[in-house]
Structures are given as structure tokens and as C-alpha cells.
Amino acid sequence: MKNRLAQLRKAQKLSQEELANQVGVTRQTITSIETGKYIASLPLAFKIAGYFNLSIEEIFIMEEKD
């Protein structure tokens, strides 16, 4: 699953630590989501989307499998 998290975070001049604090996770979790090593749980995806005032689909993009 791809995501626009790093792009959105940088546009708002937020550090990974600041975003992590806002959504209740660790900086390592934000790093893992941004790099695609971890897929956010649905509750976390809702928190992140709510923080940016966007829909989940505007942040997280499902990759189609061939």
C-alpha cells in the first residue's frame, strides 16, 4: 500500500515526532508507515486522516495486483 503521508507531513512542516504525538503513536511507527514497512491499522488511518482533514483514500492508496 502506498501513501502520501511524508508529502503531507512535510507540507505542514511537521516532524515525524510531532505527527506521532498528534495521532498517539511512536516516531518509529510514522517512519514505518511512510516507508511502506507497516500498514496503518484502520483506527490509526482514521486518526491520521482526521488530523489532515482528508479522507483515508486521499492518503492511503491501494496498489492493484496484476
Side-chain angles (χ1 to χ4, degrees):
M1 176 175 288
K2 292 185 179 183
N3 67 74
R4 298 177 46 221
L5 189 54
Q7 174 189 2
L8 293 166
R9 178 180 58 75
K10 290 174 185 176
Q12 292 200 7
K13 298 184 181 357
L14 288 172
S15 69
Q16 290 176 332
E17 186 76 30
E18 290 168 325
L19 178 58
N21 289 337
Q22 291 297 316
V23 298
V25 297
T26 65
R27 182 194 56 77
Q28 291 86 350
T29 299
I30 298 299
T31 300
S32 294
I33 293 169
E34 288 183 356
T35 60
K37 293 180 182 175
Y38 174 76
I39 297 173
S41 66
L42 191 54
L44 178 54
F46 271 108
K47 284 183 183 179
I48 292 169
Y51 178 81
F52 288 107
N53 200 29
L54 297 170
S55 69
I56 290 174
E57 294 85 358
E58 290 174 294
I59 301 172
F60 299 96
I61 302 105
M62 287 293 293
E63 295 178 289
E64 302 228 357
K65 299 208 179 194
D66 295 333

